[in-house]
Every structure is written in C-alpha cells, then in structure tokens.
Amino acid sequence: MTTGIRGEDRQNAIAGWLFMTPTVLIFSVFIIIPIIAAVYFSLTDWNGISRPAEANFIGLNNYKAILTESGIRQTDFFTALKNTTYFALGVVPMQTIISLLLAVVVNQSLLRFKGFFRTTYYFPSITSSVAISLMFLFFYQKSGLVNQVLGSLTFGAWQPIAWMADPRGLIHIVLSWFGLTIQTAPDFLTQSKLGGVTLWSWISGPSVALTGIMIMNTWTTIGTMMIIFLAALQDVPGFVYEAAQIDGANAWTQFRKITLPLLRPTLFFVITLGLIGTYQVFDQVYVMSSGGPAKTTLTIAYLVYRNGFNNSQMGLGAAIAIVLFIIIFTLTLIQRRITGSEADN
C-alpha cells in the first residue's frame, strides 16, 4: 500500500515537472539568463558593438562612475534619478486616485451606458504609446490645444508656453513668486551638491516639460488601473453595503469604512504596478523630449538606452539598469511593508 502511494506521488511529481518544464525553460531563457548577462556586462567595458568576449573585466568601475566618482556620469545618473522620482511621485498617486474614482463611478448600478464609459476610459490604454505621444506633442505646442483651453478657462490671463521646451521646475516657479530664484537663493542651496547635483536643482520639482509627460502618462494608464479596481469592486459582497445602509452609514462612510479596506490588496497591486511603470518610463520620453530640455526629462531608463546604444557604453548602461532594478525592488519592499501587511492576511 505504502509502495503504491509513493509510486502515485512519484507519477504526480513527474507530471508536475513535465507541465512546469516549458514555463521554466521560457523563464530561464528570457528572464534568468538576461539578468545574469546584464550583471556580467555591468562589470565590463563592453561597448555593445564588438564581440562580448573582447570586453575587459573592470570590476565595479561602472558602479563607481555613476554612484561615487564626481563627473558627468554621476551628475547624469542622479539627475535622471531626481527626474524619475518626481515622475513617480506625481504619476502614481494621480493615476491611483483617478482610476479608483472612475471604477467606483462606472460600478454604480444606476449608471446608464456603463459599457460605453468603460470602453472610453480604457481606450487610451490600448492605443499606441508613440501615437499618443505624437498627438500630445501637437497639444503642447505654444499655439496648441492645451494653451488654448487654459487661455479660455482663465479669460485670456494664461500666457501660452511651449510645454516641451520649458525646463523650469514647478517648485522653482512657485518659489520665484516669493522672490526666491537662483540669483537670490542662499549659497548652501546653489553651492552644495548631492550626487553631483546642487541642492537647488534637487528641489526644482518636475519641469514643465516633465509635467506634460506626467499628465499624458496618467491619462494613458488610468484605464488599465480602472479595470483592475473595477474587478475588485465587483468582488465586494453586496450584503456588506446593505448591512451598512441599515445601520445608517452614508455613501462616504461606506466608501471609507468598507470599500477602501476591502480594496487594500488591490491598492497594493496597483501602486506596485505604477511604481514599476513610472521608474521604467522610456518610450514617451524618447518620442517627446529625448531627455531635454536641459536634461529635465532625462529618466533612468532613457539614460540606460542613451549609454548603451548612443554612447556605445553597454557596460555602463547595464550597471545603471542593475541599479534601477535594485531601486525598484527596494521601493516595492518598502511599499509592501507599508500597505501590504493586511493584504497577506
């Protein structure tokens, strides 16, 4: 009897491994091996053109160049890190809040034409990112739609700007209203540097050009996030709301006390997706600004591309990609620590 059970377990194990083998092979070929290769090339001076075997092993020099050694490489990396962080801080909360509100609205039982609204909100998510970027380039011109709308809303008080050519930071603009500019700022702000970037630059906020990309990115991603929230909302049992209504809870109380707590695992998932997506933003920057003006839209993913393919420094690009992976992994762990503890229960 014992031998029969062991034989059955062995057959189940073999069947399980046979089913898993294609997935393991695909995962190894497209995930594990490229990661190992990236780690290896980050320790070399490979230019991406010659044979990989001709690359010289240089240890941690690429990592030192971007993290500790003063120079243009370090300044570019921390400038890209600053821009990418501002991008994530702006986009992730906006897309999470707006998509959640949209999901709540289109989930209402009394709403008519639900299918139309759901399709309309989701449509930007399935449209080509390049096509949308080109469309927004026209919108953001000085005589474009955005300036015209803002001019109409402010009865002509809005001064048209060329959005994608404006390197001014939003916080710098606000500070200038109170008379604080780079000419009047204290010396410790303009002279002190962190990672090769002055403190004045660190507190610049996202540039006008980067803000334009952030708005567009939010618009294109809220549809996908809305679908995720909508699926989660439809899993919330209706009797919970009925019991709350009997107890006298109004709509806001139901949302705050029932909907949000039950959506906590979904919130963790959406925020994680948002963080990963924003720290890897590339295509929209590539199409709309190529890192300009004045490197105010230079992101880490675009810096990886620029070093690897434009500057023929594939080893340096691989090192930046590894650091980017560590940043995203660390942020995900921190976010999981903050919002994911109850999601596991």
Side-chain angles (χ1 to χ4, degrees):
M1 184 66 181
T2 303
T3 305
I5 294 175
R6 287 178 178 173
E8 184 177 353
D9 289 343
R10 189 182 302 110
Q11 290 180 355
N12 290 336
I14 293 173
W17 277 107
L18 287 176
F19 280 113
M20 288 175 57
T21 298
T23 302
V24 171
L25 287 176
I26 293 173
F27 189 76
S28 299
V29 170
F30 292 102
I31 303 295
I32 301 299
I33 295 176
I35 289 177
I36 295 173
V39 171
Y40 169 74
F41 286 126
S42 72
L43 304 175
T44 70
D45 63 353
W46 188 41
N47 57 18
I49 300 174
S50 61
R51 294 171 53 215
E54 297 175 359
N56 298 312
F57 186 82
I58 58 173
L60 299 175
N61 286 352
N62 285 327
Y63 294 94
K64 292 178 182 176
I66 60 174
L67 296 176
T68 60
E69 292 180 358
S70 299
I72 188 65
R73 293 174 177 174
Q74 185 197 45
T75 302
D76 281 352
F77 174 76
F78 280 98
T79 299
L81 177 62
K82 179 201 69 171
N83 295 334
T84 309
T85 302
Y86 277 126
F87 189 88
L89 289 176
V91 171
V92 174
M94 276 199 300
Q95 70 182 12
T96 303
I97 294 172
I98 296 174
S99 59
L100 176 58
L101 292 177
L102 289 178
V104 171
V105 170
V106 299
N107 192 47
Q108 298 302 310
S109 57
L110 299 178
L111 181 68
R112 300 181 63 185
F113 308 115
K114 288 182 183 178
F116 170 77
F117 287 114
R118 291 174 183 177
T119 304
T120 302
Y121 295 145
Y122 187 64
F123 192 72
S125 300
I126 59 174
T127 306
S128 165
S129 177
V130 174
I132 292 178
S133 300
L134 291 174
M135 185 178 70
F136 269 79
L137 274 179
F138 288 105
F139 291 166
Y140 284 140
Q141 288 182 356
K142 200 167 186 178
S143 58
L145 179 64
V146 174
N147 282 320
Q148 292 182 18
V149 171
L150 291 174
S152 300
L153 293 176
T154 58
F155 303 102
W158 173 261
Q159 296 296 323
I161 57 174
W163 284 72
M164 300 313 300
D166 196 332
R168 295 176 299 162
L170 296 186
I171 296 178
H172 280 177
I173 293 175
V174 173
L175 291 177
S176 68
W177 297 344
F178 300 95
L180 185 61
T181 64
I182 192 171
Q183 287 80 20
T184 60
D187 288 341
F188 78 93
L189 285 178
T190 57
Q191 303 298 327
S192 304
K193 291 186 176 181
L194 179 63
V197 180
T198 63
L199 296 180
W200 178 253
S201 180
W202 275 106
I203 63 168
S204 65
S207 68
V208 175
L210 187 63
T211 303
I213 301 176
M214 290 163 60
I215 294 172
M216 184 196 66
N217 185 277
T218 302
W219 181 71
T220 58
T221 54
I222 56 175
T224 301
M225 305 305 181
M226 181 199 70
I227 294 296
I228 297 172
F229 278 126
L230 189 59
L233 284 172
Q234 293 179 350
D235 276 345
V236 178
F239 66 83
V240 179
Y241 291 107
E242 294 172 2
Q245 291 170 0
I246 293 174
D247 290 339
N250 56 31
W252 170 244
T253 304
Q254 292 177 40
F255 178 77
R256 192 163 51 90
K257 298 290 187 180
I258 298 175
T259 306
L260 279 182
L262 292 178
L263 288 182
R264 191 157 182 160
T266 309
L267 273 172
F268 168 75
F269 179 67
V270 167
I271 293 174
T272 301
L273 283 183
L275 272 177
I276 294 173
T278 51
Y279 267 88
Q280 292 182 338
V281 61
F282 168 76
D283 49 349
Q284 294 156 350
V285 172
Y286 177 82
V287 173
M288 298 184 71
S289 64
S290 299
K295 298 182 181 178
T296 57
T297 63
L298 180 66
T299 61
I300 300 179
Y302 187 79
L303 188 63
V304 172
Y305 162 80
R306 197 184 70 176
N307 281 296
F309 295 94
N310 288 353
N311 300 341
S312 298
Q313 296 174 322
M314 193 62 76
L316 184 64
I320 298 172
I322 296 300
V323 174
L324 174 61
F325 167 77
I326 294 172
I327 292 173
I328 293 175
F329 187 72
T330 304
L331 290 176
T332 303
L333 290 180
I334 294 173
Q335 185 222 337
R336 183 181 179 84
R337 185 76 176 177
I338 296 173
T339 65
S341 57
E342 292 187 9
D344 298 332
N345 296 331

